[in-house]
Amino acid sequence: KKMKILIAGGSQDPNLKCLITYIRNKHPETTIIELLVGPDSHPSIAWDLQQDTLVLNGDIIAPDAVFIRFDVFNWLNDSRKAVSDRATAWYRIVVGWVSTHPEVICNNFNALYKSTNKTDALFQAKMCGLPIPPTIISNDITHITNFGPSEDDQKIIKPIDGGDYCQCFSVIKEHAPLKNGHIAAQPGIIQQKLVQPELRIYQIGEKFLGFWVKSDSLDYREKQDVELEFVAEEDLPDLLTSGLHRLTDFYGLNFSASDFKSCPDTGELLFLEINNGPMFYGFNLVCEDQVCEAIYNLLNV
């Protein structure tokens, strides 16, 4: 049977572009149906619930598999609320169609309506046998000051729901407006400052792909000063892959990336977070398309 894969998301998403290019080059027998939305891309869609027909750009489509990413790239270039609302609407219609067609294979089908809460993920990771750094979630400067290392620059604070870079607690303590001298406006995740090396592990279906992430920055996403080195599955620590199996089973994920960083005292790799919609373009470049290959194999069951 000739495979038909719907790839949906933003027209400026480099992750989708590299996946489409990979499939066309390596699996030309597969039909790719593009649903890419952007400033110069305006698809037409109609889903008739009575007839259960899905029409895209005038053609009835019936994909065997779907790979979907929520579009953030168009919003990064144009931060108007209308751009974000448009991305949400397109994401919702595709997720709605996929979730009502269980015969269709999709990345994270069993978690389409779930988001991974960072604080919950840390606790669940601990329950799954993954080592985590000492952590508190708080907005009280007194509690944070008394937590962990005595030096403020040896603690980091990051947003409780992502969306921004992590920073040293000393910077936040100096500049954050406080109520009653010690209460910040909102809680954050506070942890001991970890050190290089950092390890990212993708789990795509049953496949694990690892990457050493080397950077001089506290958060490499800010300056993009990063060097990547591929780590084959057989060279990844069993403790981490077995724990990740349990964690992704708990969340119902078949496509994710988890990040680990080293304890400054012991060198042990400690779990930081799991992402159910990770970027993969840059990582795919350094492993000769193995990320895209694993995604294709996930969809082509």
Side-chain angles (χ1 to χ4, degrees):
K1 180 184 177 181
K2 189 175 181 180
M3 186 78 170
K4 298 189 293 292
I5 299 177
L6 174 66
I7 296 180
S11 63
Q12 300 184 63
D13 188 335
N15 304 280
L16 297 184
K17 290 178 181 178
C18 81
L19 179 60
I20 290 169
T21 299
Y22 166 79
I23 295 174
R24 285 190 171 141
N25 289 341
K26 300 295 185 179
H27 301 280
E29 74 285 357
T30 298
T31 298
I32 295 176
I33 306 167
E34 294 185 23
L35 200 175
L36 303 178
V37 178
D40 299 313
S41 181
H42 306 278
S44 160
I45 197 166
W47 177 20
D48 185 322
L49 299 189
Q50 279 70 36
Q51 301 297 322
D52 194 17
T53 53
L54 185 63
V55 179
L56 180 63
N57 298 326
D59 296 321
I60 295 177
I61 63 170
D64 304 295
V66 174
F67 188 82
I68 182 170
R69 283 177 55 82
F70 185 86
D71 175 34
V72 298
F73 287 92
N74 287 309
W75 180 84
L76 290 173
N77 294 320
D78 182 350
S79 59
R80 290 176 300 151
K81 183 176 183 296
V83 176
S84 176
D85 289 346
R86 185 186 188 206
T88 299
W90 281 99
Y91 183 79
R92 295 287 189 209
I93 189 173
V94 176
V95 165
W97 184 85
V98 169
S99 65
T100 56
H101 293 79
E103 73 281 3
V104 174
I105 300 166
C106 181
N107 54 307
N108 294 335
F109 180 89
N110 292 322
L112 287 172
Y113 292 104
K114 299 177 186 175
S115 61
T116 49
N117 180 297
K118 290 181 181 296
T119 55
D120 175 76
L122 279 162
F123 188 86
Q124 297 300 339
K126 178 171 70 80
M127 299 302 291
C128 290
L130 291 168
I132 69 169
T135 303
I136 62 168
I137 295 92
S138 179
N139 70 328
D140 190 317
I141 298 301
T142 303
H143 279 290
I144 299 170
T145 300
N146 292 333
F147 163 78
S150 57
E151 305 90 349
D152 288 342
D153 63 356
Q154 293 305 305
K155 302 176 221 186
I156 61 99
I157 184 166
K158 48 191 174 183
I160 206 163
D161 201 29
D164 205 348
Y165 306 120
C166 67
Q167 299 183 60
C168 280
F169 172 57
S170 55
V171 175
I172 299 295
K173 186 176 181 180
E174 183 177 351
H175 298 290
L178 302 175
K179 296 293 185 183
N180 301 323
H182 66 105
I183 304 297
Q186 63 187 44
I189 300 172
I190 300 91
Q191 296 173 323
Q192 179 184 20
K193 183 180 179 182
L194 303 181
V195 297
Q196 295 284 317
E198 183 171 348
L199 180 66
R200 165 162 282 206
I201 301 179
Y202 286 84
Q203 185 177 355
I204 307 171
E206 295 298 312
K207 180 77 172 176
F208 287 101
L209 299 164
F211 298 87
W212 291 116
V213 180
K214 303 173 185 178
S215 173
D216 292 329
S217 297
L218 178 62
D219 190 327
Y220 70 85
R221 298 170 302 169
E222 188 169 7
K223 297 180 181 178
Q224 295 295 311
D225 56 337
V226 63
E227 178 183 341
L228 302 175
E229 180 184 332
F230 176 61
V231 185
E233 181 170 357
E234 58 269 21
D235 295 323
L236 293 170
D238 289 340
L239 173 69
L240 303 188
T241 54
S242 60
L244 286 177
H245 253 308
R246 291 188 286 271
L247 186 62
T248 54
D249 284 349
F250 176 83
Y251 283 120
L253 301 176
N254 61 16
F255 175 69
S256 65
S258 298
D259 295 320
F260 299 81
K261 209 165 183 177
S262 301
C263 173
D265 301 318
T266 66
E268 183 181 25
L269 284 164
L270 305 178
F271 174 89
L272 291 176
E273 64 181 18
I274 186 169
N275 189 326
N276 62 358
M279 310 289 185
F280 56 86
Y281 167 72
F283 295 87
N284 187 66
L285 286 176
V286 302
C287 66
E288 299 180 334
D289 286 330
Q290 289 192 56
V291 176
C292 284
E293 179 184 14
I295 293 172
Y296 179 80
N297 290 337
L298 172 69
L299 299 175
N300 192 26
V301 175

